[in-house]
């Protein structure tokens, strides 16, 4: 499993840096424990140097030289297009006391900053961060949710179940980072290990007992979760995504499997696995205990009968602890899976059926997941984060199941500097399942939006589906509204909760929900009806 930054991740990292600069310091930069001896901070790190900085005090752990403060321990990490070792001198100039690196000490290195060679810098970063913040994960029950689709909704459901017990929680994922003390922006699905440990400390110090987090394949491959023991690990599904980073589907799965094998602190106590997914079947038995879920026969958690409607889901779930009555405002078949996964986590964590039922019922919305925008117009408008071919297919099929008679108008784009192979597949998917597809920009990043669209067109032409092109996303949303007729569903896919758009040299504020409301207002639909998420 590669632990180097790909060129794609470097692009993402730069975009995240822009967002972070706009939003302020990270939690690790704001939260500093009392200085600790370097020997304590580095306990457990595999060291290759003979001289160890036992008496040096460490007041900060970081891998970003720009954030170094006097007394810092700076971990230099190799990348493909950037190398943290190139910034070691800058870190030293800013007052770093210790540099951890896989490389030998450079010739002429100043003795005022100690250079320590380590075996695996990424693991060293995670270990030193955990030590610096007092091993906060040991005081918490961690729940990790991984898979291609459904992580955010499943995580939100589990968090709602835990909170229904009266416990204080942390929730970390694509939309935002939550602790008992407040909400923080989420530049990554899973925080970097330094920030993650700082968040764990914040949850612990606020008397929290559980943390639910989305465990992305990037975070697992890059060892952000190293040293963390999970009480429960959940696998939702695996479909094509991030192949630009992982190179092969097998490597992508290997990153996900890492969570179930254990990330340096033993295998999870219980795994909750979707065995309707062929890759999920490969995870059965990997952790200490496995609970399976799905709609097929033989699963530990199953839903035999359910009715799909815009009013939500109402069904009986079969579980090892007996029947659980599900009442949820979330809609669509995909959310039956998400709810079963959350029930499995609740069972694995030891919560009663009553608490599980209450937690599921309490979650009324998930931002940017099948989120309806209603201003009194005679057609439905839905904003959703679907940005893979499987997620897009689930979204369109959900709309079709809920609205058999009306047309489906799907607007989407593909992100630049990302896996190009999924673009024609997404085009074919939308062309095959939608009545009209409007192709536009997502986050073009370093690529020409029209070239991205041309990759999608290759697939949509194979489907013979009707399509239109409008590279400007705001104008594309307006075009979708103009095309909609009474009884239609307009799907605005790809960005969901995101409130920004990333270009090659700048990032702008952009929110599909806001732009959709403006477009509806321009058409004369001005009666505000909110716009609730129904979680996909």
């Amino acid at each position: 499993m590669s632990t180097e930054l790909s060129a794609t991740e470097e692009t993402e990292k730069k975009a995240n840096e822009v967002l972070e600069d706009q939003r302020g310091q990270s939690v690790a930069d704001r939260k500093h424990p009392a200085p600790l001896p370097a020997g304590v901070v580095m306990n457990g790190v595999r060291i290759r140097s003979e001289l160890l900085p036992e008496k040096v005090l460490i007041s900060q752990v970081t891998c970003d030289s720009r954030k170094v403060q006097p007394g810092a321990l700076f971990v230099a990490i190799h990348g493909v297009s950037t190398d943290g070792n190139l910034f070691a001198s800058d870190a030293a100039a800013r007052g770093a006391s210790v540099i951890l690196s896989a490389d030998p000490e450079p010739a002429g290195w100043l003795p005022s900053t100690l250079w320590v060679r380590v075996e695996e810098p990424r693991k060293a970063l995670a270990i030193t961060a955990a030590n610096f913040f007092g091993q906060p994960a040991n005081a918490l029950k961690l729940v990790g949710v991984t898979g291609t689709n459904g992580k955010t909704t499943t995580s939100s459901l589990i968090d709602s179940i835990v909170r229904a017990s009266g416990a204080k929680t942390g929730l970390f994922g694509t939309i935002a980072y939550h602790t008992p003390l407040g909400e923080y922006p989420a530049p990554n699905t899973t925080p970097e290990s330094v920030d993650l440990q700082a968040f764990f400390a914040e949850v612990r110090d606020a008397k929290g007992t559980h943390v639910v987090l989305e465990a992305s394949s990037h975070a697992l491959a890059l060892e952000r979760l190293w040293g963390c023991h999970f009480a429960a690990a959940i696998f939702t599904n695996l479909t094509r995504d991030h192949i630009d980073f992982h190179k092969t589907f097998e490597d992508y799965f290997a990153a996900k499997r890492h969570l179930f094998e254990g990330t340096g602190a033993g295998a999870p106590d219980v795994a909750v696995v979707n065995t309707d997914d062929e890759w999920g079947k490969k995870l059965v038995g990997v952790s200490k205990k496995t609970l399976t879920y799905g709609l097929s026969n033989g699963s530990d958690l199953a839903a035999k009968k359910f009715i799909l409607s815009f009013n939500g889901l109402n069904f009986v779930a079969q579980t090892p602890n007996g029947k659980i009555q599900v009442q949820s405002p979330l809609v669509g078949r995909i959310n039956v899976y998400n709810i079963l996964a959350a029930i499995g986590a609740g069972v694995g964590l030891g919560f009663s059926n009553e608490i599980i039922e209450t937690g599921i019922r309490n979650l009324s919305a998930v931002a940017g997941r099948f989120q309806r925008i209603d201003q009194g117009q005679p057609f439905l408008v839905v904003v959703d984060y679907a940005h893979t071919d499987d997620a897009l297919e689930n979204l369109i099929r959900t709309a079709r199941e809920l609205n058999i008679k009306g047309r489906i108008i799907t607007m989407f784009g593909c992100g630049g500097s990302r896996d190009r192979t999924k673009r024609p597949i997404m085009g074919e998917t939308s062309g095959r399942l939608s009545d009209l597809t409007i192709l536009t920009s997502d986050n073009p990043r370093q690529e020409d939006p029209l070239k991205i669209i041309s990759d999608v067109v290759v697939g949509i032409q194979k489907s013979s589906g009707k399509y239109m092109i409008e590279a400007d996303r705001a104008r594309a949303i307006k075009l979708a509204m103009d095309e909609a007729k009474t009884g239609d569903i307009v799907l605005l896919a790809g960005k969901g909760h995101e409130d920004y758009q990333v270009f090659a040299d700048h990032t702008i504020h952009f929110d599909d929900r806001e732009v959709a409301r403006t477009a509806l207002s321009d058409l004369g639909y001005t009666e505000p009806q909110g716009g609730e998420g129904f979680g996909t």
Side-chain angles (χ1 to χ4, degrees):
M1 190 166 24
S2 172
T3 57
E4 287 192 335
L5 286 170
S6 66
T8 296
E9 197 193 22
E10 291 290 358
T11 302
E12 178 184 14
K13 181 174 181 289
K14 291 176 182 177
N16 287 337
E17 288 171 354
V18 172
L19 292 174
E20 192 171 283
D21 288 342
Q22 293 173 346
R23 293 165 171 171
Q25 290 180 313
S26 68
V27 66
D29 297 319
R30 293 191 296 267
K31 187 180 182 67
H32 284 163
L36 292 172
V40 173
V41 176
M42 295 171 59
N43 182 43
V45 176
R46 295 177 62 184
I47 297 172
R48 301 171 66 181
S49 297
E50 295 181 3
L51 179 64
L52 301 181
E54 294 290 343
K55 297 181 180 180
V56 175
L57 289 179
I58 301 299
S59 59
Q60 179 194 25
V61 174
T62 184
C63 60
D64 188 337
S65 65
R66 300 170 305 168
K67 298 176 181 178
V68 166
Q69 299 173 13
L73 182 149
F74 173 73
V75 184
I77 295 175
H78 276 288
V80 172
S81 59
T82 61
D83 181 355
N85 290 277
L86 299 176
F87 304 99
S89 295
D90 179 48
R94 292 172 183 264
S97 296
V98 179
I99 307 293
L100 299 189
S101 173
D103 291 357
E105 178 180 314
W109 183 255
L110 299 177
S112 57
T113 302
L114 292 173
W115 187 283
V116 179
R117 289 192 74 187
V118 296
E119 293 284 349
E120 299 172 283
R122 291 192 181 281
K123 290 181 180 178
L125 179 65
I127 293 168
T128 54
N131 290 337
F132 184 65
F133 289 104
Q135 295 291 336
N138 292 346
L140 304 167
K141 288 189 175 182
L142 305 184
V143 181
V145 182
T146 198
T148 306
N149 302 313
K151 294 190 297 295
T152 299
T153 299
T154 301
S155 297
S156 298
L157 283 162
I158 297 169
D159 178 71
S160 185
I161 289 170
V162 178
R163 286 188 289 109
S165 74
K168 293 182 179 180
T169 68
L171 175 63
F172 305 101
T174 306
I175 295 176
Y177 304 152
H178 298 269
T179 79
L181 301 185
E183 179 179 306
Y184 302 82
N188 297 302
T189 296
T190 310
E192 181 55 82
S193 55
V194 175
D195 283 331
L196 188 64
Q197 294 296 334
F199 279 126
F200 287 168
E202 186 167 297
V203 176
R204 175 199 61 195
D205 296 346
K207 309 303 180 184
T209 57
H210 293 72
V211 163
V212 184
L213 59 88
E214 295 180 47
S216 70
S217 59
H218 286 72
L220 289 162
L222 299 174
E223 305 293 6
R224 292 177 190 165
L225 301 174
W226 185 255
C228 297
H229 176 73
F230 285 85
I234 292 82
F235 176 82
T236 60
N237 49 60
L238 199 73
T239 61
R240 177 176 292 275
D241 200 13
H242 305 306
I243 302 303
D244 53 326
F245 175 76
H246 296 288
K247 305 308 178 188
T248 69
F249 210 87
E250 287 69 24
D251 286 346
Y252 182 33
F253 175 68
K256 300 293 189 184
R257 184 184 174 94
H258 194 30
L259 178 65
F260 298 86
E261 295 169 330
T263 49
D269 297 329
V270 62
V272 182
V273 175
N274 174 10
T275 46
D276 283 357
D277 185 286
E278 290 302 314
W279 292 93
K281 294 176 182 177
K282 299 177 186 292
L283 295 173
V284 174
V286 174
S287 299
K288 295 178 182 177
K289 177 183 178 181
T290 302
L291 292 174
T292 62
Y293 72 93
L295 304 185
S296 58
N297 293 329
S299 298
D300 296 320
L301 303 112
K304 298 301 182 183
K305 295 181 181 179
F306 50 88
I307 298 174
L308 302 175
S309 76
F310 278 116
N311 294 324
L313 292 167
N314 192 326
F315 63 90
V316 175
Q318 308 290 338
T319 84
N321 291 352
K323 296 180 180 179
I324 288 180
Q325 182 64 51
V326 172
Q327 292 179 321
S328 171
L330 306 185
V331 303
R333 185 180 304 270
I334 187 64
N335 276 314
V336 178
Y337 281 98
N338 294 335
I339 289 170
L340 289 175
I343 290 174
V347 170
L349 291 170
F351 293 114
S352 69
N353 288 3
E354 291 74 19
I355 287 174
I356 293 172
E357 289 174 355
T358 300
I360 292 170
R361 187 169 59 248
N362 286 349
L363 185 69
S364 61
V366 181
R369 272 63 179 172
F370 214 89
Q371 184 168 357
R372 291 174 61 180
I373 308 299
D374 188 355
Q375 294 194 168
Q377 75 276 6
F379 51 87
L380 290 169
V381 177
V382 173
V383 172
D384 194 89
Y385 189 56
H387 61 283
T388 68
D389 56 289
D390 183 68
L392 189 62
E393 179 159 348
N394 284 333
L395 172 63
I396 300 171
R397 288 193 181 279
T398 295
R400 186 71 71 188
E401 286 181 312
L402 296 173
N403 190 44
I404 298 173
K405 296 181 180 180
R407 293 187 307 156
I408 306 295
I409 299 172
T410 303
M411 185 218 74
F412 79 97
C414 291
S417 302
R418 292 293 186 273
D419 179 15
R420 290 185 60 184
T421 63
K422 72 178 182 180
R423 295 173 185 173
I425 302 173
M426 291 181 70
E428 189 278 331
T429 298
S430 184
R432 173 169 46 87
L433 298 174
S434 305
D435 296 287
L436 172 64
T437 299
I438 298 174
L439 301 178
T440 188
S441 296
D442 192 283
N443 292 317
R445 300 183 179 89
Q446 306 295 325
E447 290 192 67
D448 181 344
L450 289 176
K451 289 184 178 179
I452 298 173
I453 291 172
S454 68
D455 288 341
V456 182
V457 168
V458 171
I460 201 168
Q461 288 179 338
K462 289 182 180 179
S463 73
S464 299
K466 183 180 178 182
Y467 69 96
M468 304 171 74
I469 294 175
E470 174 50 71
D472 183 285
R473 194 173 181 94
R475 288 202 292 263
I477 291 174
K478 183 178 186 304
L479 178 59
M481 304 303 179
D482 291 339
E483 290 290 324
K485 297 179 174 60
T486 299
D488 290 348
I489 296 184
V490 175
L491 303 176
L492 308 178
K495 293 186 65 63
H497 65 281
E498 291 182 352
D499 61 359
Y500 58 87
Q501 193 169 18
V502 182
F503 295 89
D505 56 356
H506 67 289
T507 299
I508 65 170
H509 176 78
F510 193 99
D511 190 320
D512 280 0
R513 297 162 295 186
E514 294 175 5
V515 176
R517 292 188 182 105
T518 298
L520 289 170
S521 295
D522 291 344
L523 291 173
Y525 304 115
T526 57
E527 182 180 351
Q529 301 290 332
E532 296 184 353
F534 290 87
T536 59

